[in-house]
Amino acid sequence: MVLTSSPAALPVDARQQVSRLMQRLQDDICARLEALDGKAKFREDRWERPGGGGGRSRVIQQGDVFEQGGVNFSEVFGSHLPPSILKQRPEAAGHPFYATGTSMVLHPRNPYVPTVHLNYRYFEAGPVWWFGGGMDLTPYYLFEEDAAHFHRTAKAACDRLDPVYYPVFKIWCDRYFFLPHRGEARGVGGIFFDYQDERPGLLYRPEGQAEGDPEQLASEPPSLQVRVGSRSWEHLFQLVQTCGDAFLPAYVPIVERRQGMEWGERERQFQLYRRGRYVEFNLVYDRGTIFGLQTQGRTESILMSLPPLVRWEYGYEPQPDTWEAKLHQVLRQPQDWA
Amino acid sequence: MVLTSSPAALPVDARQQVSRLMQRLQDDICARLEALDGKAKFREDRWERPGGGGGRSRVIQQGDVFEQGGVNFSEVFGSHLPPSILKQRPEAAGHPFYATGTSMVLHPRNPYVPTVHLNYRYFEAGPVWWFGGGMDLTPYYLFEEDAAHFHRTAKAACDRLDPVYYPVFKIWCDRYFFLPHRGEARGVGGIFFDYQDERPGLLYRPEGQAEGDPEQLASEPPSLQVRVGSRSWEHLFQLVQTCGDAFLPAYVPIVERRQGMEWGERERQFQLYRRGRYVEFNLVYDRGTIFGLQTQGRTESILMSLPPLVRWEYGYEPQPDTWEAKLHQVLRQPQDWA
């Protein structure tokens, strides 16, 4: 396949730098999670994509801490981006693309330990490139101090680059990980961003909306009307690296605090039920999942995010004034955690 | 809401006739399934849709035969159809719509008893109306005689109206209930059709393709190049009624044959694993589910089709030369069952 030359303002080794970062992130995360679990080890599958590229998928199963978890690295070349992305980046039409990223979902066994997701990614296509990603927490039993710790750690990482980032990325995360058919957030959120590139304008660039669309801008709350000047590739690379490295300090202390808590059938059943929402989000709305399936990605790696065991129950409502009911309330109204 | 007057060639009581049929179908099916189960009873929730219309959702849970099953009737009015349908029926743009239908999914407890799905529906929107629906079988452990019985019963029903129907509806079903990301059919199929109206032309009218598109027609196998003349509303109503009434004789004998078979942990685990494919299909591809979520339908009723307990397992492949491996082979290659 003939790839176009790199756009100006990119380091000559841009792809290699990002690819190395994404692999290092995968390595660091897997090593720490194995130590945390103490029993299970990650199993690695290396794979190649017929269209170009490949990856290394790592799965941990039946651990003491992790009932199942997947940490994927992938690097793919393709002849054209799917329509959903071209709508947002029309300049990429007719060009081949390069995409690399690391994504992770962990499904702990103990219902007091939250599920967590991380994904960072980088695209190049003809004249355009961008970074995206984030991390978010999905508790079954909500400890406010855990949500606060996760958000504060994410905020501190963002703030090291620029204090404008966290407030926007936090709302972006709440909006992205939202299930309209349930009227619920997937969890307590974290940070999320996409289409971050060198072009000045509105920092918030949600899919399906033209950048800096004046009507869109006017209808958003002031907290989302943040504008940024031109930012270098190196600055955005640093943002992703800093946020990526914030994952372990954001999540590991939560696991350490909750892993020893005793739980029973009630907690297990609620966890399995809530995992259904995770499946609904990932299969109906998640951009990464849809991108993977649309680009004939490796199905087992894409769907590694799905929980090992899930249940659905028609018409379930938690009993009023229970811990379970509190979660359902909180998910209907985003909170300021940091 | 102001509804436009009925298009010509429709009985004045068209909506009432279909609505009555759909409710009668729900009643007949629920009564027979309760008798078959012998333990659990359907619980009914009647609901109204804020936008107009309503329905009655019936669920059976924790039965001797049915671990979970849902049989829904609904009748809804809306101000506009979603884009996916308007693409196929552009004449409906700018018109309010009426839709009624019955849909059902049964998840048996015994892994030797197949899961089954039925849906019949009717739409009116401005100058156009159409019928759609079908039924299909999803075994975990495949008995060829069961697949043959199901298909022969469906074929006999279709043949009573016109022998051109079954061969086309059979392939349509294989194509519709297909998971591209798995390269697999959801099950052994049955019959499926959509956009059936009075207009002559190609019988096969899949979503996303202009009717009778000459290029499309030329690239299809001869078995799909069947043309029909003008058909009356009454003929198509009769088709839906006859196919709907074929469900119980198609499915009940299979349950009666398999329900007594002993099963163990291996069969249970395979059933839970295969149920994951059902979830993947319904949330990623199913038109009824997507229509329901897009039109702010009643979420609990729409997602009643999801199994009560499901598992995913990274990288699972059945052992060669097992019953489980045979299913995976069959699903990769549609068979002639009738």
Side-chain angles (χ1 to χ4, degrees):
Chain A
M1 180 185 310
V2 179
L3 292 174
T4 52
S5 58
S6 295
L10 278 188
V12 288
D13 62 344
R15 294 177 184 191
Q16 290 81 353
Q17 282 193 54
V18 187
S19 170
R20 258 199 318 269
L21 167 63
M22 296 297 176
Q23 293 182 65
R24 202 261 298 154
L25 197 56
Q26 184 192 35
D27 289 339
D28 289 354
I29 289 173
C30 289
R32 186 69 188 89
L33 294 181
E34 273 187 3
L36 191 61
D37 192 87
K39 177 184 165 199
K41 300 282 177 200
F42 279 93
R43 176 161 72 85
E44 178 174 284
D45 283 331
R46 289 183 181 249
W47 49 274
E48 292 188 7
R49 185 163 162 276
R56 41 187 220 197
S57 295
R58 293 185 189 159
V59 64
I60 189 167
Q61 288 170 306
Q62 310 283 5
D64 274 346
V65 174
F66 300 109
E67 191 173 333
Q68 186 180 291
V71 189
N72 286 317
F73 161 76
S74 69
E75 189 173 26
V76 302
F77 301 85
S79 59
H80 56 278
L81 286 164
S84 59
I85 295 185
L86 288 177
K87 206 168 147 190
Q88 190 77 7
R89 280 290 178 275
E91 307 90 334
H95 293 283
F97 72 89
Y98 168 84
T100 188
T102 287
S103 66
M104 179 203 73
V105 174
L106 303 177
H107 295 289
R109 185 179 299 282
N110 187 325
Y112 292 113
V113 180
T115 281
V116 70
H117 163 249
L118 166 145
N119 167 244
Y120 288 100
R121 54 198 184 228
Y122 172 68
F123 283 82
E124 285 184 19
V128 289
W129 56 266
W130 68 92
F131 289 94
M135 62 178 183
D136 65 287
L137 195 71
T138 307
Y140 302 93
Y141 289 88
L142 173 63
F143 296 86
E144 299 192 350
E145 66 191 279
D146 293 350
H149 170 78
F150 190 83
H151 273 270
R152 284 179 193 141
T153 310
K155 179 176 187 301
C158 293
D159 285 355
R160 277 203 284 282
L161 276 292
D162 195 323
V164 300
Y165 287 142
Y166 173 79
V168 173
F169 294 172
K170 192 271 180 200
I171 301 175
W172 203 335
C173 189
D174 287 338
R175 291 188 175 195
Y176 181 76
F177 293 102
F178 182 75
L179 289 83
H181 66 280
R182 298 288 189 181
E184 279 177 10
R186 185 170 79 172
V188 296
I191 52 171
F192 182 78
F193 54 87
D194 208 354
Y195 298 112
Q196 296 296 302
D197 61 21
E198 80 285 17
R199 291 180 275 193
L202 206 54
L203 176 57
Y204 178 56
R205 297 167 183 181
E207 191 142 304
Q209 294 174 352
E211 273 176 77
D213 176 342
E215 278 189 48
Q216 156 70 13
L217 181 62
S219 67
E220 292 294 0
S223 51
L224 277 180
Q225 299 194 26
V226 174
R227 291 182 161 281
V228 286
S230 182
R231 293 168 295 168
S232 68
W233 185 94
E234 287 78 4
H235 172 88
L236 292 166
F237 177 82
Q238 193 60 45
L239 174 67
V240 165
Q241 180 170 316
T242 305
C243 288
D245 286 335
F247 164 69
L248 288 171
Y251 184 62
V252 170
I254 298 173
V255 178
E256 289 173 335
R257 277 206 288 268
R258 305 302 162 207
Q259 173 61 13
M261 288 179 68
E262 287 193 21
W263 51 277
E265 193 56 19
R266 168 178 167 167
E267 291 82 6
R268 176 64 169 173
Q269 290 303 317
F270 187 61
Q271 178 196 48
L272 297 185
Y273 175 78
R274 291 294 318 172
R275 282 177 175 175
R277 299 290 208 276
Y278 219 83
V279 175
E280 291 172 25
F281 182 83
N282 282 19
L283 295 183
V284 178
Y285 304 108
D286 186 60
R287 206 175 294 168
T289 303
I290 293 165
F291 173 79
L293 298 176
Q294 279 177 340
T295 54
Q296 285 81 52
R298 184 174 184 264
T299 297
E300 288 295 328
S301 300
I302 298 164
L303 298 184
M304 201 188 251
S305 64
L306 300 180
L309 194 65
V310 187
R311 70 183 190 91
W312 274 272
E313 181 179 333
Y314 172 77
Y316 170 79
E317 284 291 337
Q319 293 291 316
D321 302 317
T322 57
W323 207 343
E324 292 85 358
K326 187 187 159 201
L327 182 78
H328 280 223
Q329 278 162 15
V330 166
L331 298 181
R332 288 188 167 88
Q333 185 56 56
Q335 320 271 315
D336 273 330
W337 295 109
Chain B
M1 181 186 310
V2 179
L3 291 173
T4 52
S5 58
S6 295
L10 278 188
V12 288
D13 63 345
R15 295 177 183 190
Q16 291 80 354
Q17 281 193 54
V18 186
S19 170
R20 258 200 317 270
L21 166 64
M22 296 297 174
Q23 294 182 66
R24 201 263 295 153
L25 197 57
Q26 184 193 34
D27 289 339
D28 289 355
I29 289 173
C30 289
R32 186 68 188 90
L33 295 181
E34 273 188 3
L36 191 63
D37 193 87
K39 178 184 164 200
K41 299 282 177 201
F42 279 94
R43 176 162 72 85
E44 179 174 283
D45 283 332
R46 289 182 182 249
W47 49 273
E48 292 188 6
R49 185 163 163 275
R56 41 187 219 196
S57 295
R58 293 185 189 158
V59 65
I60 189 166
Q61 288 170 306
Q62 310 284 5
D64 274 346
V65 173
F66 300 110
E67 191 173 333
Q68 186 180 294
V71 189
N72 286 318
F73 161 77
S74 69
E75 189 172 27
V76 302
F77 301 86
S79 58
H80 56 279
L81 287 163
S84 58
I85 295 185
L86 288 176
K87 206 169 147 187
Q88 190 78 8
R89 281 291 178 274
E91 307 90 335
H95 294 283
F97 73 89
Y98 168 83
T100 187
T102 287
S103 66
M104 179 204 73
V105 175
L106 304 176
H107 294 289
R109 186 180 298 281
N110 186 325
Y112 291 113
V113 180
T115 280
V116 71
H117 163 249
L118 166 145
N119 168 244
Y120 288 101
R121 53 196 185 230
Y122 173 68
F123 283 83
E124 285 184 17
V128 289
W129 56 267
W130 66 92
F131 289 94
M135 62 177 182
D136 66 287
L137 195 70
T138 307
Y140 304 93
Y141 289 88
L142 174 63
F143 296 86
E144 299 192 352
E145 66 191 279
D146 293 350
H149 169 77
F150 190 84
H151 274 270
R152 284 179 193 140
T153 310
K155 179 176 187 302
C158 292
D159 285 356
R160 277 202 284 283
L161 276 292
D162 194 323
V164 300
Y165 288 142
Y166 173 78
V168 173
F169 294 172
K170 192 271 181 200
I171 301 175
W172 201 336
C173 188
D174 287 338
R175 291 188 175 195
Y176 181 76
F177 294 102
F178 182 75
L179 289 83
H181 67 280
R182 298 287 189 181
E184 279 177 10
R186 185 171 79 171
V188 297
I191 52 171
F192 182 77
F193 55 87
D194 208 354
Y195 298 111
Q196 297 296 301
D197 61 21
E198 79 285 18
R199 290 179 275 193
L202 206 55
L203 177 57
Y204 178 57
R205 297 166 183 181
E207 190 143 303
Q209 293 173 354
E211 272 178 78
D213 177 341
E215 278 188 48
Q216 157 69 14
L217 181 62
S219 67
E220 292 294 359
S223 52
L224 277 180
Q225 298 194 26
V226 173
R227 291 181 161 281
V228 285
S230 182
R231 293 168 296 168
S232 67
W233 186 94
E234 289 78 5
H235 172 89
L236 291 167
F237 177 80
Q238 193 60 44
L239 174 67
V240 165
Q241 180 170 316
T242 306
C243 288
D245 286 335
F247 164 69
L248 288 171
Y251 184 63
V252 170
I254 297 173
V255 178
E256 290 173 335
R257 277 204 289 266
R258 306 303 161 206
Q259 173 60 13
M261 288 180 67
E262 287 193 21
W263 51 277
E265 193 56 19
R266 168 178 168 166
E267 292 81 6
R268 176 64 169 172
Q269 290 303 316
F270 186 62
Q271 178 196 49
L272 298 185
Y273 175 78
R274 291 295 319 173
R275 282 177 176 175
R277 299 291 208 274
Y278 220 83
V279 175
E280 291 172 24
F281 182 83
N282 282 18
L283 295 184
V284 179
Y285 304 109
D286 185 60
R287 208 175 294 168
T289 303
I290 292 166
F291 173 78
L293 298 178
Q294 280 178 339
T295 54
Q296 285 81 54
R298 184 174 184 265
T299 296
E300 288 295 327
S301 299
I302 298 165
L303 299 184
M304 201 188 251
S305 64
L306 299 180
L309 195 65
V310 188
R311 72 183 188 92
W312 275 271
E313 181 179 332
Y314 172 78
Y316 170 79
E317 283 291 336
Q319 293 291 315
D321 303 316
T322 57
W323 207 344
E324 292 86 357
K326 187 186 159 203
L327 181 79
H328 280 223
Q329 278 162 16
V330 167
L331 298 182
R332 289 188 166 87
Q333 185 57 55
Q335 319 271 315
D336 274 329
W337 295 109

